[in-house]
């Protein structure tokens, strides 16, 4: 190769370098925009809680007149009802009802074996996001309606 | 660039061009990756916009210790009774306060205490937490206000309902969170 | 500068152009976004809350209406306010008037109670006010959006079309049927349609059912039996004595052959009058199991 040839290769190399740098830059900018992370965990747990407490096919208490939305029938709080109410492969949840003093009245879940094992150590398990929410709620204990709390704990496979 | 004939203009365009390129990449890099121009701040609906009224409905349906004809009255019914007989106002206040204390609370972070200089510890404790406020109006006039509002605080998660009183009039009942410098994530958590 | 030397400056300007265009494209796409993740679900959740608030209102109305109806029946000797009975005259001494049983049609407190209950609930229903707040996209999310408005006639000056519609829906509803047994009275309203906000063709249907605990009207049938057996066409003194012995808190007075009774019962006072020398109508309504279709 003569001197001109070396300079030509160098020239092409430098230009290619600039082109690659700029191309990568544009690609990263576009990729970042198109793959914007959408965190819907909070929204999902709110909707789940609403579904659980508002729907007759879930936990809502129904008397001779109507379905009382926002009132949990303790008799309905079991694995079967939860599974029929809402099931998603990657999402498991635990529902606990306590009285106004905080004493646990009843608890049920739709967790599979893996979710049950991971839930207590969720923070340390990669790819899982757990969230717990507590709400004031009415519950029916078979005799009368009282005020207490419902805690919904969700384990969600995100990655 | 440099060929047999030579390019004596090379230093005059190469370095400025590269400098301009670098500056361009830095400038647009700030726009795309620091300012995040492509980020949609409101893409997912925030809890402040849920307009969820479940807490207020639960409070109003809660039974109290006050009885009438051997039956415990709910908060709604006690509001009606207190509007006719002011002697029941104190009991109504204490029943509602009990329930408001049970609603989820948030803690404003330590950074707030750092920002506020020379704030007594007791005051710092008060302004650290958001407070739930319940307001009742009858005949468009204030009937009862329960909960402490804070100066410069904002109101969040407002819930409103009109309930009937036994005399046929309406009572306007409003529940909201009053909080100073609350973060959106904290509001999300208790919504 | 030779021909090849033009490449780098040209390249730099091309990069600036491309990146500027990219910024504008992204900004333009963002500004055209009209939808938010979760908006439809949250709107439905808001609507369910609205129906629950309506039910809370109707439940309370039912309770207060039942209390009022009981008091009105007591004031009218077991009849509703709008009854066909004659009443005693008032004067300076006697400022209260009493329904005269002898002038009334069949005595059926259960039926009268249901009719009065319907009237009372109607008054509460007409006072209903929704607290629904339409989504303000600009204020809450910073986006402008073409909103779908349902094809209904809205009066001028109404700012929140959905609040107006939901309020009118309750006010315009009617009681379709009433089921009545010993333990409860269930009033079923007509179907109420709630158009979902910004969702063409989507409607939530609510069929309100209000449960009311019926008043025990046994006291009326017992009082009727006492009067029928011991007062009608009997001696006035014996009649008064019998009533006072049977009901310790009763207040019995007479004006010639007209007897007036005030009997405290069920947090109210039953008031009625009757002539001892005239017949009283028959008493019905011991069977509370009725399905009344209106």
């Amino acid at each position: 190769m003569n001197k001109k040839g070396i300079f030509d290769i160098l020239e092409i190399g430098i230009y290619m370098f600039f082109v690659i740098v700029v191309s990568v830059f544009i690609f990263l900018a576009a990729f970042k925009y198109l793959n914007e992370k959408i965190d819907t965990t909070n929204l999902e747990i709110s909707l789940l809680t609403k579904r659980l407490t508002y729907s007759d096919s879930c936990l809502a208490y129904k008397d001779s007149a109507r379905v009382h939305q926002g009132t949990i029938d303790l008799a309905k709080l079991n694995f079967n009802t939860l599974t029929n109410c809402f099931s998603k492969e990657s999402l498991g949840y635990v529902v606990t009802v306590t009285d106004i003093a905080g004493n646990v009245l009843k608890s049920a879940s739709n967790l599979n074996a893996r979710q049950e094992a991971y839930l207590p150590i969720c923070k340390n398990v990669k790819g899982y996001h757990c969230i717990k929410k507590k709400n004031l709620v009415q519950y029916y204990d078979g005799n009368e309606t009282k005020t207490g709390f419902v805690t919904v704990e969700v384990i969600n496979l995100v990655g | 660039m440099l060929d047999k004939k030579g390019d004596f203009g090379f230093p005059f365009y190469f370095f400025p061009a590269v400098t301009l390129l670098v500056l361009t990449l830095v400038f647009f890099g700030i726009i795309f990756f620091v300012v995040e121009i492509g980020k949609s701040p409101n893409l997912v609906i925030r809890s402040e916009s849920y307009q969820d009224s479940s807490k207020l409905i639960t409070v109003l349906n809660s039974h109290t210790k006050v009885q009438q004809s051997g039956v415990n009255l709910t908060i709604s019914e006690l509001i009606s009774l207190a509007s006719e007989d002011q002697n029941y106002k104190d009991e109504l206040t204490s029943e509602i306060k009990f329930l408001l204390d049970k609603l989820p609370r948030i803690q404003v972070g330590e950074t707030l205490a750092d920002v506020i200089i020379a704030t007594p510890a007791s005051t710092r404790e008060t302004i650290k937490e958001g407070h739930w406020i319940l307001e009742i109006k009858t005949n468009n006039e204030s009937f009862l206000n329960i909960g402490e509002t804070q100066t410069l605080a904002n109101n969040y998660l407002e819930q409103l309902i009109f309930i009937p009183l036994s005399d046929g009039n309406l009572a306007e009942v409003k529940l909201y969170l009053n909080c100073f410098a609350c973060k959106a994530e904290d509001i999300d958590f208790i919504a | 500068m030779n021909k090849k030397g033009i490449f780098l400056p040209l390249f730099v300007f091309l990069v600036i152009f491309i990146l500027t265009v990219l910024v504008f494209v992204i900004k333009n796409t963002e500004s055209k976004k009209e939808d938010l993740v979760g908006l439809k679900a949250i709107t439905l959740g808001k609507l369910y809350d609205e129906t629950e608030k309506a039910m809370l209102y109707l439940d309370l109305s039912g309770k207060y209406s039942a209390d009022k109806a009981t008091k009105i029946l007591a004031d009218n000797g077991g009849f509703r306010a709008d009854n066909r009975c004659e009443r005693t005259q008032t004067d300076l001494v006697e400022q209260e008037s009493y329904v005269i049983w002898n002038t009334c049609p069949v005595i059926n407190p259960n039926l009268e109670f249901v009719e009065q209950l319907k009237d009372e609930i109607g008054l509460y229903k007409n006072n209903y006010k929704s607290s629904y707040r339409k989504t303000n996209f600009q204020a809450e999310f910073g986006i402008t959006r073409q909103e779908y408005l349902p094809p209904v006639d809205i009066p001028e000056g109404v700012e929140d079309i959905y609040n107006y519609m939901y309020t009118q829906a309750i006010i315009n509803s009617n009681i379709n049927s009433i089921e009545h047994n010993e333990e409860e009275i269930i009033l079923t309203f007509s179907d109420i349609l709630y158009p979902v906000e910004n969702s063409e063709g989507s409607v939530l249907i609510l069929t309100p059912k209000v449960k009311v605990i019926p008043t025990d009207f046994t006291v009326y049938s017992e009082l009727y039996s006492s009067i029928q057996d011991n007062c009608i066409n009997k001696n006035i003194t014996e009649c008064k004595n019998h009533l006072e012995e049977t009901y310790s808190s009763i207040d019995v007075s007479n004006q010639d052959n007209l007897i007036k009774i005030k009997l405290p019962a069920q947090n109210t006072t039953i008031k009625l009058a009757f002539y001892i020398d005239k017949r009283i109508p028959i008493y019905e309504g011991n069977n509370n199991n009725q399905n009344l279709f209106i």
Side-chain angles (χ1 to χ4, degrees):
Chain A
M1 197 185 291
N2 56 14
K3 280 188 204 172
K4 184 185 173 183
I6 292 169
F7 284 126
D8 278 346
I9 291 169
L10 197 62
E11 183 183 3
I12 291 168
I14 290 170
Y15 286 157
M16 284 303 297
F17 172 75
F18 288 140
V19 169
I20 288 167
V21 164
V22 170
S23 300
V24 166
F25 181 88
I26 293 173
F27 174 77
L28 284 174
F31 185 81
K32 184 175 163 48
Y33 170 68
L34 293 170
N35 286 286
E36 187 181 356
K37 193 182 170 196
I38 300 173
D39 184 8
T40 57
T41 312
N42 188 71
L43 176 64
E44 283 185 82
I45 196 173
S46 293
L47 292 174
L48 172 63
T49 307
K50 216 153 182 103
R51 178 167 171 76
L52 286 168
T53 57
Y54 275 47
S55 175
D56 180 29
S57 60
C58 296
L59 303 177
Y61 167 59
K62 184 177 180 181
D63 65 8
S64 52
R66 68 180 183 98
V67 176
H68 293 262
Q69 292 172 137
T71 301
I72 292 176
D73 187 347
L74 289 181
K76 283 181 168 180
L77 183 53
N78 53 54
F79 173 82
N80 287 334
T81 307
L82 294 182
T83 310
N84 292 331
C85 169
F86 179 82
S87 271
K88 190 176 163 187
E89 187 72 34
S90 56
L91 189 144
Y93 54 94
V94 183
V95 179
T96 307
V97 176
T98 56
D99 64 13
I100 201 76
N103 303 311
V104 175
L105 298 169
K106 202 169 181 183
S107 186
S109 75
N110 77 336
L111 302 172
N112 59 34
R114 187 191 294 262
Q115 289 164 340
E116 209 166 332
Y118 284 172
L119 187 60
I121 51 164
C122 190
K123 278 183 192 169
N124 303 320
V125 181
K126 202 177 171 184
Y128 281 87
H129 186 195
C130 294
I131 194 164
K132 199 178 193 178
K133 257 189 153 184
K134 190 176 176 182
N135 280 307
L136 196 70
V137 79
Q138 294 269 289
Y139 65 89
Y140 178 73
D141 64 1
N143 287 321
E144 55 180 331
T145 305
K146 295 174 183 166
T147 305
F149 299 98
V150 64
T151 304
V152 179
E153 194 172 1
V154 163
I155 175 165
N156 195 13
L157 177 65
V158 293
Chain B
M1 290 189 298
L2 273 175
D3 61 6
K4 269 197 228 172
K5 291 182 186 172
D7 185 355
F8 297 105
F10 173 75
F12 296 103
Y13 67 80
F14 180 78
F15 296 108
V18 169
T19 308
L20 185 59
L21 181 66
V22 168
L23 286 174
T24 301
L25 290 179
V26 167
F27 174 73
F28 281 99
I30 291 170
I31 287 182
F32 286 120
F33 301 108
V34 177
V35 171
E36 289 184 320
I37 201 169
K39 192 176 173 126
S40 321
N42 298 321
L43 187 64
V44 179
I45 191 164
R46 302 308 299 256
S47 57
E48 294 157 49
S49 304
Y50 289 176
Q51 289 190 47
D52 178 47
S53 295
S54 57
K55 288 179 179 61
L56 178 56
I57 295 169
T58 302
V59 166
L60 290 174
N61 279 331
S62 298
H63 285 95
T64 66
K65 295 190 193 77
V66 179
Q67 288 195 344
Q68 210 177 40
S69 306
V71 175
N72 289 68
L73 297 180
T74 61
I75 293 285
S76 314
E77 291 162 348
L78 190 53
I79 289 172
S80 178
L81 187 61
S83 72
E84 290 172 3
D85 185 349
Q86 302 280 314
N87 293 324
Y88 284 99
K89 236 176 163 175
D90 286 342
E91 282 183 87
L92 176 65
T93 304
S94 80
E95 292 282 350
I96 291 175
K97 261 191 185 153
F98 173 78
L99 289 167
L100 292 186
D101 279 343
K102 299 293 180 187
L103 290 174
R105 311 280 290 274
I106 56 173
Q107 293 268 349
V108 179
E110 285 297 329
T111 50
L112 174 65
D114 295 337
V115 165
I116 294 170
I117 302 159
T119 310
S122 57
T123 311
R124 225 181 298 143
E125 275 302 312
T126 311
I127 58 176
K128 271 180 83 174
E129 294 182 7
H131 290 273
W132 286 99
I133 314 289
L134 192 125
E135 290 179 359
I136 305 172
K137 277 189 191 173
T138 56
N139 296 322
N140 284 322
E141 284 173 14
S142 178
F143 175 70
L144 204 57
N145 280 359
I146 300 160
E148 299 166 34
T149 53
Q150 299 170 73
T151 323
L152 301 177
N154 289 319
N155 297 333
Y156 304 91
L157 306 178
E158 187 180 292
Q159 310 174 33
L160 177 67
I161 190 174
F162 292 96
I163 59 169
L165 301 173
S166 55
D167 62 4
N169 288 319
L170 290 181
E172 180 185 322
V173 186
K174 194 192 290 186
L175 174 70
Y176 58 90
L177 181 76
N178 181 260
C179 195
F180 177 58
C182 281
K183 289 185 280 189
E185 293 76 25
D186 297 322
I187 305 286
D188 279 350
F189 186 70
I190 64 163
Chain C
M1 189 192 292
N2 60 18
K3 284 183 200 174
K4 278 191 208 171
I6 205 76
F7 172 78
L8 191 59
L10 197 65
F11 177 72
V12 172
F13 285 114
L14 193 64
V15 166
I16 294 171
F17 176 74
I18 288 172
L19 290 176
T20 308
V21 167
L22 187 61
V23 168
F24 276 109
V25 165
I26 288 173
K27 282 298 273 180
N28 206 35
T29 312
E30 282 302 303
S31 66
K32 280 185 182 163
K33 272 191 184 152
E34 285 190 341
D35 205 2
L36 295 150
V37 176
L39 180 62
K40 285 183 180 160
I42 292 301
T43 303
L44 261 182
K46 219 167 82 172
L47 191 53
Y48 274 103
D49 274 351
E50 175 65 18
T51 61
E52 190 58 25
K53 287 184 199 175
M55 285 313 307
L56 173 60
Y57 186 96
L58 291 173
D59 282 343
L60 286 170
S61 300
K63 182 184 182 292
Y64 299 146
S65 298
D67 290 344
K68 260 193 182 169
T70 303
K71 285 196 170 73
I72 288 171
L73 251 68
D75 267 348
N76 290 277
F79 289 87
R80 61 182 188 265
D82 181 25
N83 63 66
R84 291 185 292 164
C85 308
E86 287 176 25
R87 300 183 78 92
T88 59
Q89 299 292 322
T90 56
D91 52 38
L92 286 169
V93 175
E94 181 59 78
Q95 293 185 348
E96 293 179 71
S97 74
Y98 295 68
V99 154
I100 304 172
W101 261 12
N102 313 87
T103 64
C104 296
V106 167
I107 303 172
N108 189 337
N110 290 307
L111 200 64
E112 297 292 312
F113 174 77
V114 169
E115 293 299 314
Q116 189 65 48
L117 180 66
K118 271 164 51 191
D119 290 345
E120 295 302 316
I121 281 193
L123 297 173
Y124 283 103
K125 189 171 61 69
N126 289 341
N127 224 11
Y128 177 77
K129 205 168 164 186
S130 168
S131 57
Y132 190 88
R133 189 165 51 87
K134 186 171 72 120
T135 307
N136 185 333
F137 289 95
Q138 186 56 46
E140 292 179 48
F141 310 117
I143 58 174
T144 49
R145 183 185 162 131
Q146 187 68 26
E147 290 181 47
Y148 165 75
L149 293 174
V152 288
D153 290 327
I154 304 293
E156 272 185 49
V158 169
E159 286 179 14
D160 192 325
I161 182 174
Y162 290 95
N163 182 293
Y164 175 81
M165 282 194 302
Y166 298 160
T167 300
Q168 291 304 309
I170 294 289
I171 290 173
N172 294 334
S173 65
N174 297 305
I175 297 173
N176 265 0
S177 69
I178 302 173
E179 293 163 56
H180 189 190
N181 60 44
E182 279 177 14
E183 289 172 1
E184 58 195 19
I185 299 173
I186 297 177
L187 300 108
T188 305
F189 287 73
S190 50
D191 285 351
I192 298 175
L193 271 55
Y194 284 85
V196 180
E197 189 182 339
N198 282 310
S199 192
E200 187 177 350
S202 298
V203 166
L204 180 73
I205 300 175
L206 173 72
T207 308
K209 284 193 174 187
V210 174
K211 190 162 66 171
V212 168
I213 308 298
T215 308
D216 182 4
F217 292 116
T218 315
V219 63
Y220 286 93
S221 70
E222 287 171 355
L223 189 59
Y224 178 89
S225 300
S226 282
I227 293 170
Q228 177 75 339
D229 296 341
N230 302 285
C231 293
I232 301 299
N233 293 322
K234 298 279 196 300
N235 179 274
I236 199 164
T237 311
E238 283 175 19
C239 168
K240 280 175 76 174
N241 288 341
H242 176 83
L243 288 172
E244 281 164 358
E245 278 168 21
T246 310
Y247 303 99
S248 56
S249 52
I250 198 168
D251 177 19
V252 185
S253 61
N254 73 290
Q255 215 176 313
D256 299 327
N257 282 342
L258 180 71
I259 291 187
K260 294 177 188 172
I261 287 173
K262 265 188 185 176
L263 175 62
Q266 297 157 346
N267 299 319
T268 184
T269 304
I270 297 171
K271 280 166 43 189
L272 62 97
F274 61 93
Y275 289 103
I276 61 165
D277 57 347
K278 290 179 184 172
R279 288 170 60 185
I280 53 176
I282 57 171
Y283 186 96
E284 278 184 5
N286 283 327
N287 177 14
N288 285 343
N289 292 319
Q290 299 175 45
N291 284 332
L292 305 172
F293 288 91
I294 298 154

